[in-house]
């Protein structure tokens, strides 16, 4: 499977457009249809357990359940990174996504969700209903992973 990472730039008219940042081959099927598969891909491609800061990624998914692309939304400090719902949905609309997964790492490698993680998830659930997008999961990666979907919190 080809994993494509995108970013945004502004045109001369100050309108956002997609820019392909990089693409890598990854040996798995095009359907990253389980938190375990996503955790393994993030670990293999982004070395999530070695990152000294918290990162947040957006996985954009098409109507057939295939990965369209990955965005690095933000990275912060050892225990916090900003998640902006407007930035997420702008990227999803530009990729014509039907669904999405949010993934972030915990530098401590512990995957228990923080109060902020739970608030972000709740906010994105509300926004996704308004936008008619399928918020498939919020996955926290560390030594292992935590899936809000698997834990029945989605």
């Amino acid at each position: 499977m080809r994993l494509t990472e995108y970013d945004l730039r502004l045109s001369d008219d100050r309108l956002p457009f997609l820019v392909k940042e990089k693409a890598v081959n990854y040996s798995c099927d095009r359907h990253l249809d389980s938190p375990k598969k996503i955790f393994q891909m993030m670990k293999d491609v982004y070395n999530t357990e070695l990152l000294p800061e918290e990162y947040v990624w957006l996985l954009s998914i098409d109507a057939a359940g295939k990965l369209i692309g990955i965005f690095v939304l933000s990275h912060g400090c050892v225990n916090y990174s900003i998640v902006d719902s407007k930035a997420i949905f702008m990227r999803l609309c530009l990729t014509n996504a039907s669904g999405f997964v949010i993934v972030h790492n915990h530098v401590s490698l512990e995957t228990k969700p923080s109060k902020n993680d739970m608030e972000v998830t709740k906010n994105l659930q509300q926004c996704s209903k308004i936008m008619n997008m399928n918020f498939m999961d919020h996955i926290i990666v560390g030594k292992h992973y935590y899936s809000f979907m698997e834990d029945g919190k989605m």
Side-chain angles (χ1 to χ4, degrees), residues 33-111:
D33 54 4
S34 74
K36 185 176 182 176
K37 286 182 184 179
I38 292 170
F39 164 68
Q40 193 60 54
M41 181 272 295
M42 295 302 294
K43 188 175 172 181
D44 293 345
V45 175
Y46 290 96
N47 297 306
T48 53
E49 72 279 3
L50 300 177
L51 296 172
E53 301 164 333
E54 194 167 289
Y55 280 73
V56 181
W57 295 271
L58 168 67
L59 281 62
S60 177
I61 311 292
D62 71 11
K66 295 179 183 174
L67 180 66
I68 297 169
I70 302 171
F71 294 89
V72 176
L73 289 175
S74 67
H75 71 274
C77 57
V78 295
N79 62 351
Y80 187 79
S81 191
I82 295 173
V83 177
D84 178 20
S85 55
K86 184 174 84 171
I88 289 170
F89 288 98
M90 179 173 33
R91 285 158 176 78
L92 292 170
C93 289
L94 286 169
T95 60
N96 198 29
S98 292
F100 66 102
V101 175
I102 297 295
V103 180
H104 81 277
N105 68 307
H106 279 179
V107 176
S108 68
L109 302 181
E110 295 298 323
T111 56

Coordinates of all heavy atoms in Angstrom, one line a residue, residues 33-111:
D33 N -8.5 -1.3 8.7 CA -9.8 -1.4 9.3 C -9.9 -1.9 10.8 O -10.9 -2.3 11.2 CB -10.6 -2.4 8.4 CG -10.0 -3.7 8.2 OD1 -8.9 -4.0 8.8 OD2 -10.6 -4.5 7.5
S34 N -8.7 -1.8 11.5 CA -8.8 -2.1 12.9 C -7.8 -1.2 13.6 O -6.7 -0.8 13.0 CB -8.4 -3.5 13.1 OG -7.1 -3.8 12.9
P35 N -8.0 -0.9 14.9 CA -7.1 -0.1 15.6 C -5.7 -0.7 15.7 O -4.7 0.0 15.7 CB -7.7 0.0 17.0 CG -9.2 -0.1 16.8 CD -9.3 -1.1 15.6
K36 N -5.7 -2.0 15.8 CA -4.4 -2.8 15.8 C -3.6 -2.5 14.6 O -2.4 -2.3 14.6 CB -4.7 -4.2 16.1 CG -3.4 -5.0 16.3 CD -3.7 -6.5 16.6 CE -2.4 -7.2 16.8 NZ -2.6 -8.6 17.2
K37 N -4.2 -2.6 13.4 CA -3.5 -2.4 12.1 C -3.0 -0.9 12.1 O -1.9 -0.7 11.6 CB -4.4 -2.6 10.9 CG -4.7 -4.1 10.7 CD -5.6 -4.2 9.4 CE -5.9 -5.6 9.1 NZ -6.8 -5.7 7.9
I38 N -3.8 0.0 12.5 CA -3.4 1.4 12.5 C -2.3 1.7 13.4 O -1.3 2.3 13.1 CB -4.6 2.3 12.8 CG1 -5.7 2.3 11.7 CG2 -4.2 3.8 13.1 CD1 -7.0 2.9 12.0
F39 N -2.4 1.1 14.6 CA -1.3 1.2 15.6 C 0.0 0.7 15.0 O 1.1 1.3 15.1 CB -1.6 0.4 16.9 CG -0.5 0.1 17.8 CD1 0.2 1.2 18.5 CD2 0.0 -1.2 18.0 CE1 1.2 0.9 19.3 CE2 1.1 -1.4 18.8 CZ 1.7 -0.4 19.5
Q40 N 0.0 -0.5 14.4 CA 1.2 -1.1 13.8 C 1.8 -0.2 12.7 O 3.0 0.0 12.6 CB 0.9 -2.5 13.3 CG 2.2 -3.3 13.0 CD 3.1 -3.4 14.2 OE1 2.6 -3.9 15.2 NE2 4.3 -3.0 14.1
M41 N 0.9 0.3 11.8 CA 1.3 1.2 10.8 C 2.0 2.5 11.3 O 3.1 2.9 10.9 CB 0.2 1.6 9.9 CG 0.5 2.4 8.7 SD 0.4 4.2 9.0 CE -1.3 4.5 9.3
M42 N 1.4 3.1 12.3 CA 1.9 4.3 12.9 C 3.3 4.0 13.6 O 4.2 4.8 13.4 CB 0.9 4.9 13.9 CG -0.4 5.4 13.4 SD -0.2 6.6 12.1 CE 0.5 8.0 13.0
K43 N 3.4 2.9 14.2 CA 4.6 2.5 14.9 C 5.7 2.3 13.8 O 6.8 2.8 13.9 CB 4.4 1.2 15.7 CG 5.5 0.8 16.5 CD 5.1 -0.4 17.4 CE 6.3 -1.0 18.1 NZ 5.9 -2.1 18.9
D44 N 5.4 1.6 12.7 CA 6.3 1.2 11.7 C 6.8 2.5 10.9 O 7.9 2.6 10.6 CB 5.8 0.2 10.7 CG 5.5 -1.2 11.4 OD1 6.1 -1.4 12.5 OD2 4.8 -2.0 10.8
V45 N 5.8 3.3 10.5 CA 6.1 4.4 9.6 C 6.6 5.7 10.4 O 7.5 6.4 9.9 CB 4.9 4.7 8.7 CG1 5.1 6.0 7.9 CG2 4.5 3.5 7.9
Y46 N 5.9 6.0 11.5 CA 6.2 7.2 12.2 C 7.1 7.0 13.5 O 7.4 8.0 14.2 CB 4.9 7.9 12.5 CG 4.3 8.5 11.3 CD1 3.3 7.8 10.7 CD2 4.7 9.7 10.8 CE1 2.7 8.3 9.5 CE2 4.1 10.3 9.6 CZ 3.1 9.5 9.0 OH 2.5 10.1 7.9
N47 N 7.4 5.8 13.8 CA 8.2 5.5 15.0 C 7.7 6.2 16.2 O 8.4 6.9 17.0 CB 9.7 5.9 14.8 CG 10.3 5.1 13.7 OD1 10.4 3.9 13.7 ND2 10.9 5.8 12.7
T48 N 6.4 6.0 16.4 CA 5.7 6.8 17.5 C 6.2 6.6 18.9 O 6.2 7.5 19.7 CB 4.2 6.4 17.5 OG1 4.1 5.0 17.6 CG2 3.5 6.9 16.2
E49 N 6.8 5.4 19.2 CA 7.3 5.2 20.5 C 8.6 6.0 20.8 O 9.1 6.0 21.9 CB 7.5 3.7 20.8 CG 8.6 3.0 20.1 CD 8.3 2.6 18.6 OE1 7.2 2.9 18.1 OE2 9.1 2.0 18.0
L50 N 9.2 6.5 19.7 CA 10.5 7.2 19.9 C 10.4 8.8 19.8 O 11.4 9.5 20.0 CB 11.5 6.8 18.7 CG 11.8 5.3 18.7 CD1 12.7 5.0 17.5 CD2 12.4 4.8 20.0
L51 N 9.2 9.3 19.6 CA 9.0 10.7 19.5 C 9.1 11.4 20.8 O 8.4 11.0 21.8 CB 7.6 11.0 18.8 CG 7.5 10.5 17.4 CD1 6.1 10.6 16.8 CD2 8.5 11.2 16.5
P52 N 9.8 12.5 20.9 CA 10.0 13.2 22.2 C 8.9 14.2 22.5 O 8.8 14.8 23.6 CB 11.3 13.9 22.0 CG 11.4 14.2 20.6 CD 10.7 13.0 19.9
E53 N 7.9 14.4 21.6 CA 6.8 15.3 21.7 C 5.5 14.6 21.3 O 5.6 13.6 20.5 CB 7.0 16.5 20.9 CG 8.3 17.3 21.2 CD 8.6 18.3 20.1 OE1 8.3 18.1 18.9 OE2 9.3 19.3 20.4
E54 N 4.4 15.1 21.8 CA 3.1 14.6 21.3 C 2.8 15.1 19.9 O 2.9 16.3 19.7 CB 2.1 15.0 22.4 CG 0.8 14.2 22.2 CD -0.2 14.4 23.4 OE1 0.1 13.9 24.5 OE2 -1.2 15.0 23.2
Y55 N 2.4 14.1 19.1 CA 2.0 14.4 17.7 C 0.5 14.0 17.6 O 0.1 13.1 18.2 CB 2.8 13.7 16.7 CG 4.1 14.2 16.4 CD1 5.2 14.2 17.3 CD2 4.4 14.9 15.2 CE1 6.4 14.7 17.0 CE2 5.6 15.4 14.9 CZ 6.6 15.3 15.8 OH 7.9 15.8 15.5
V56 N -0.2 14.7 16.6 CA -1.5 14.3 16.3 C -1.6 14.2 14.8 O -1.2 15.0 14.0 CB -2.6 15.4 16.7 CG1 -4.0 15.0 16.4 CG2 -2.5 15.7 18.2
W57 N -2.2 13.0 14.4 CA -2.3 12.7 12.9 C -3.8 12.6 12.6 O -4.6 12.1 13.4 CB -1.6 11.4 12.6 CG -0.1 11.4 12.7 CD1 0.8 11.8 11.8 CD2 0.6 11.0 13.9 NE1 2.1 11.6 12.3 CE2 2.0 11.2 13.6 CE3 0.3 10.6 15.1 CZ2 3.0 10.9 14.5 CZ3 1.3 10.3 16.0 CH2 2.6 10.4 15.7
L58 N -4.1 12.9 11.4 CA -5.4 12.7 10.8 C -5.3 11.7 9.7 O -4.5 11.9 8.8 CB -6.0 14.0 10.3 CG -7.3 14.0 9.5 CD1 -8.5 13.5 10.3 CD2 -7.5 15.3 8.8
L59 N -6.1 10.6 9.7 CA -6.2 9.7 8.6 C -7.5 9.9 7.9 O -8.6 9.8 8.5 CB -6.1 8.2 9.2 CG -4.8 7.7 9.5 CD1 -4.1 8.5 10.7 CD2 -4.8 6.2 9.9
S60 N -7.4 10.3 6.7 CA -8.6 10.6 5.9 C -9.0 9.3 5.1 O -8.2 8.6 4.5 CB -8.2 11.7 4.9 OG -9.3 12.0 4.0
I61 N -10.3 8.9 5.2 CA -10.8 7.6 4.7 C -11.9 7.9 3.7 O -12.8 8.7 3.9 CB -11.4 6.8 5.9 CG1 -10.4 6.7 7.1 CG2 -11.8 5.4 5.4 CD1 -9.1 5.9 6.9
D62 N -11.9 7.2 2.6 CA -12.9 7.3 1.5 C -14.1 6.5 1.8 O -14.2 5.8 2.8 CB -12.3 7.1 0.1 CG -12.0 5.6 -0.2 OD1 -12.4 4.7 0.6 OD2 -11.4 5.3 -1.2
A63 N -15.1 6.6 1.0 CA -16.4 5.9 1.2 C -16.3 4.4 1.2 O -17.1 3.7 1.8 CB -17.4 6.3 0.1
A64 N -15.2 3.9 0.5 CA -15.0 2.4 0.5 C -14.2 2.0 1.7 O -13.9 0.8 1.8 CB -14.3 2.0 -0.8
G65 N -13.8 2.9 2.6 CA -13.0 2.5 3.7 C -11.5 2.4 3.5 O -10.8 1.9 4.3
K66 N -11.1 3.0 2.4 CA -9.7 3.0 2.0 C -9.0 4.3 2.5 O -9.6 5.4 2.5 CB -9.5 2.9 0.5 CG -9.9 1.5 0.0 CD -9.7 1.4 -1.5 CE -10.2 0.1 -2.0 NZ -10.2 0.1 -3.5
L67 N -7.8 4.2 2.9 CA -7.0 5.4 3.3 C -6.7 6.3 2.1 O -6.1 5.8 1.1 CB -5.7 4.9 4.0 CG -4.8 6.0 4.5 CD1 -5.4 6.8 5.6 CD2 -3.4 5.4 4.9
I68 N -7.1 7.5 2.2 CA -6.8 8.5 1.2 C -5.5 9.1 1.5 O -4.6 9.2 0.6 CB -7.9 9.7 1.2 CG1 -9.3 9.1 0.8 CG2 -7.5 10.8 0.2 CD1 -10.4 10.1 1.0
G69 N -5.3 9.6 2.7 CA -4.0 10.2 3.0 C -3.9 10.5 4.5 O -4.9 10.3 5.3
I70 N -2.7 10.9 4.9 CA -2.4 11.2 6.3 C -1.9 12.6 6.4 O -1.2 13.1 5.6 CB -1.3 10.2 6.8 CG1 -1.7 8.8 6.7 CG2 -0.9 10.5 8.3 CD1 -0.7 7.8 7.0
F71 N -2.4 13.3 7.5 CA -1.9 14.6 7.8 C -1.3 14.7 9.2 O -1.9 14.1 10.1 CB -3.1 15.6 7.8 CG -3.8 15.8 6.5 CD1 -4.8 15.0 6.1 CD2 -3.4 16.9 5.6 CE1 -5.5 15.2 4.9 CE2 -4.0 17.1 4.4 CZ -5.1 16.2 4.0
V72 N -0.2 15.3 9.3 CA 0.3 15.7 10.7 C -0.4 16.9 11.0 O -0.2 18.0 10.4 CB 1.9 15.8 10.7 CG1 2.3 16.3 12.0 CG2 2.6 14.6 10.2
L73 N -1.3 16.9 12.0 CA -2.1 18.0 12.4 C -1.3 19.0 13.2 O -1.4 20.2 13.1 CB -3.4 17.6 13.1 CG -4.4 17.0 12.3 CD1 -5.6 16.5 13.2 CD2 -5.0 17.9 11.2
S74 N -0.6 18.4 14.2 CA 0.2 19.3 15.1 C 1.2 18.4 15.9 O 1.1 17.2 15.9 CB -0.7 20.0 16.1 OG -1.4 19.1 17.0
H75 N 2.1 19.1 16.5 CA 2.9 18.5 17.5 C 3.2 19.6 18.6 O 3.3 20.7 18.3 CB 4.1 17.8 17.0 CG 5.2 18.6 16.5 ND1 5.3 19.1 15.2 CD2 6.3 19.1 17.1 CE1 6.4 19.8 15.0 NE2 7.0 19.8 16.1
G76 N 3.3 19.1 19.8 CA 3.4 20.0 20.9 C 4.6 19.7 21.8 O 5.7 19.6 21.4
C77 N 4.2 19.5 23.1 CA 5.3 19.3 24.1 C 5.1 17.8 24.6 O 4.4 17.0 23.9 CB 5.2 20.3 25.2 SG 3.6 20.3 26.0
V78 N 5.7 17.5 25.7 CA 5.7 16.1 26.1 C 4.4 15.6 26.5 O 4.2 14.4 26.6 CB 6.7 15.9 27.3 CG1 8.1 16.1 26.8 CG2 6.4 16.7 28.5
N79 N 3.4 16.5 26.8 CA 2.1 16.0 27.3 C 0.9 16.7 26.7 O -0.2 16.6 27.2 CB 2.0 16.0 28.8 CG 2.1 17.3 29.4 OD1 2.4 18.3 28.7 ND2 1.9 17.5 30.7
Y80 N 1.1 17.4 25.6 CA 0.0 18.2 25.1 C 0.3 18.6 23.6 O 1.4 18.9 23.3 CB -0.3 19.5 25.9 CG -1.5 20.2 25.5 CD1 -2.8 19.8 25.9 CD2 -1.4 21.3 24.6 CE1 -3.9 20.4 25.5 CE2 -2.6 22.0 24.2 CZ -3.8 21.5 24.7 OH -4.9 22.2 24.3
S81 N -0.8 18.5 22.8 CA -0.7 19.0 21.4 C -2.1 19.5 21.1 O -3.1 18.9 21.5 CB -0.3 17.9 20.5 OG 0.0 18.4 19.2
I82 N -2.2 20.5 20.3 CA -3.5 21.2 20.0 C -4.2 20.4 18.9 O -3.6 20.0 17.9 CB -3.2 22.6 19.5 CG1 -2.7 23.4 20.7 CG2 -4.5 23.3 19.0 CD1 -2.2 24.8 20.3
V83 N -5.5 20.3 19.1 CA -6.4 19.7 18.0 C -7.4 20.7 17.7 O -8.2 21.1 18.6 CB -7.0 18.4 18.5 CG1 -8.0 17.8 17.5 CG2 -6.0 17.4 18.9
D84 N -7.4 21.2 16.4 CA -8.4 22.2 16.0 C -9.4 21.5 15.0 O -9.0 21.1 14.0 CB -7.6 23.3 15.3 CG -8.5 24.4 14.7 OD1 -9.6 24.5 15.1 OD2 -8.0 25.1 13.8
S85 N -10.6 21.5 15.5 CA -11.7 20.8 14.7 C -11.8 21.4 13.3 O -12.1 20.7 12.3 CB -13.0 20.7 15.4 OG -13.4 21.9 15.8
K86 N -11.8 22.7 13.2 CA -11.9 23.4 11.9 C -10.8 22.9 10.9 O -11.1 22.6 9.8 CB -11.9 24.9 12.1 CG -12.1 25.6 10.7 CD -12.2 27.1 11.0 CE -10.8 27.7 11.0 NZ -10.8 29.2 11.0
A87 N -9.6 22.8 11.4 CA -8.4 22.4 10.6 C -8.7 20.9 10.1 O -8.3 20.6 9.0 CB -7.1 22.5 11.4
I88 N -9.2 20.1 11.0 CA -9.5 18.7 10.6 C -10.5 18.6 9.5 O -10.3 18.0 8.5 CB -10.0 17.9 11.9 CG1 -8.9 17.7 12.9 CG2 -10.6 16.6 11.5 CD1 -9.3 17.2 14.2
F89 N -11.6 19.3 9.7 CA -12.7 19.2 8.7 C -12.4 19.9 7.4 O -12.8 19.5 6.3 CB -14.0 19.7 9.3 CG -14.5 18.7 10.3 CD1 -14.3 18.8 11.6 CD2 -15.2 17.5 9.8 CE1 -14.8 17.9 12.5 CE2 -15.6 16.5 10.7 CZ -15.4 16.7 12.1
M90 N -11.5 20.9 7.4 CA -11.0 21.5 6.1 C -10.2 20.5 5.3 O -10.5 20.3 4.1 CB -10.1 22.7 6.4 CG -9.6 23.4 5.2 SD -8.7 24.9 5.4 CE -7.9 24.8 7.0
R91 N -9.4 19.8 6.0 CA -8.6 18.7 5.3 C -9.5 17.6 4.8 O -9.3 17.1 3.7 CB -7.5 18.2 6.3 CG -6.4 19.2 6.4 CD -5.6 19.0 7.7 NE -4.4 19.9 7.8 CZ -4.5 21.2 8.2 NH1 -5.7 21.7 8.5 NH2 -3.4 22.0 8.2
L92 N -10.4 17.2 5.6 CA -11.3 16.1 5.2 C -12.1 16.5 4.0 O -12.3 15.7 3.0 CB -12.2 15.7 6.3 CG -11.6 15.0 7.5 CD1 -12.5 14.9 8.7 CD2 -11.0 13.7 7.1
C93 N -12.6 17.8 3.9 CA -13.4 18.2 2.8 C -12.5 18.3 1.5 O -12.9 17.9 0.4 CB -14.0 19.6 3.1 SG -15.4 19.5 4.2
L94 N -11.2 18.8 1.7 CA -10.3 18.9 0.5 C -10.0 17.5 0.0 O -9.6 17.4 -1.2 CB -9.1 19.7 0.9 CG -9.3 21.2 1.1 CD1 -8.1 21.8 1.7 CD2 -9.6 21.8 -0.3
T95 N -10.0 16.4 0.8 CA -9.7 15.1 0.3 C -11.0 14.3 -0.1 O -10.9 13.2 -0.5 CB -8.9 14.3 1.3 OG1 -9.7 14.2 2.5 CG2 -7.6 14.9 1.6
N96 N -12.1 15.0 0.1 CA -13.4 14.3 -0.2 C -13.6 13.1 0.6 O -14.1 12.1 0.1 CB -13.5 14.0 -1.7 CG -15.0 13.8 -2.1 OD1 -15.9 14.3 -1.5 ND2 -15.2 13.0 -3.1
A97 N -13.2 13.2 1.8 CA -13.3 12.0 2.8 C -14.7 11.8 3.2 O -15.6 12.7 3.3 CB -12.4 12.2 4.0
S98 N -15.0 10.5 3.5 CA -16.3 10.1 4.1 C -16.1 9.9 5.6 O -17.1 9.9 6.4 CB -16.8 8.8 3.5 OG -17.2 9.1 2.2
G99 N -14.9 9.6 6.0 CA -14.6 9.2 7.4 C -13.2 9.6 7.8 O -12.4 10.0 6.9
F100 N -12.9 9.4 9.1 CA -11.6 9.8 9.5 C -11.3 9.1 10.9 O -12.2 8.7 11.6 CB -11.4 11.3 9.7 CG -12.2 11.9 10.7 CD1 -11.7 12.3 12.0 CD2 -13.6 12.2 10.5 CE1 -12.4 12.9 13.0 CE2 -14.3 12.8 11.5 CZ -13.8 13.2 12.7
V101 N -10.0 9.0 11.1 CA -9.4 8.5 12.4 C -8.4 9.5 12.9 O -7.6 10.0 12.1 CB -8.7 7.1 12.2 CG1 -8.1 6.7 13.5 CG2 -9.7 6.1 11.7
I102 N -8.5 9.8 14.2 CA -7.5 10.7 14.8 C -6.5 9.7 15.6 O -7.0 8.8 16.3 CB -8.1 11.7 15.8 CG1 -9.0 12.6 15.0 CG2 -7.1 12.4 16.6 CD1 -8.3 13.5 14.1
V103 N -5.2 10.0 15.4 CA -4.2 9.2 16.2 C -3.3 10.2 16.8 O -2.9 11.2 16.2 CB -3.4 8.3 15.2 CG1 -2.4 7.5 16.0 CG2 -4.3 7.4 14.4
H104 N -3.0 9.9 18.1 CA -1.9 10.7 18.7 C -1.1 9.8 19.6 O -1.6 8.8 20.1 CB -2.5 12.0 19.4 CG -3.0 11.8 20.8 ND1 -4.3 11.4 21.0 CD2 -2.5 12.0 22.0 CE1 -4.5 11.3 22.3 NE2 -3.4 11.7 22.9
N105 N 0.1 10.3 19.9 CA 1.0 9.5 20.7 C 1.1 10.1 22.1 O 0.8 11.3 22.3 CB 2.4 9.4 20.1 CG 3.1 10.8 20.1 OD1 2.5 11.8 19.6 ND2 4.3 10.8 20.6
H106 N 1.4 9.3 23.1 CA 1.7 9.7 24.4 C 3.2 9.4 24.6 O 3.6 8.3 24.5 CB 0.9 9.0 25.5 CG -0.5 9.6 25.7 ND1 -1.4 9.0 26.6 CD2 -1.1 10.6 25.1 CE1 -2.5 9.7 26.5 NE2 -2.3 10.7 25.7
V107 N 4.0 10.4 24.9 CA 5.4 10.3 25.1 C 5.8 9.3 26.2 O 6.7 8.6 26.1 CB 6.1 11.7 25.3 CG1 7.6 11.6 25.6 CG2 5.8 12.6 24.1
S108 N 4.9 9.3 27.2 CA 5.1 8.4 28.4 C 4.9 7.0 28.0 O 5.3 6.1 28.8 CB 4.1 8.8 29.5 OG 2.8 8.4 29.1
L109 N 4.4 6.7 26.8 CA 4.1 5.4 26.3 C 2.8 4.8 27.0 O 2.4 3.7 26.7 CB 5.2 4.4 26.4 CG 6.5 4.9 25.6 CD1 7.6 3.8 25.7 CD2 6.2 5.1 24.1
E110 N 2.3 5.4 28.0 CA 1.0 5.0 28.7 C -0.1 5.5 27.8 O -0.1 6.6 27.3 CB 0.9 5.6 30.1 CG 2.0 5.1 31.0 CD 1.9 3.6 31.2 OE1 0.8 3.0 31.3 OE2 3.0 3.0 31.4
T111 N -1.1 4.7 27.6 CA -2.2 5.1 26.6 C -3.5 5.4 27.3 O -4.5 5.6 26.6 CB -2.4 3.9 25.6 OG1 -2.6 2.7 26.3 CG2 -1.1 3.8 24.8

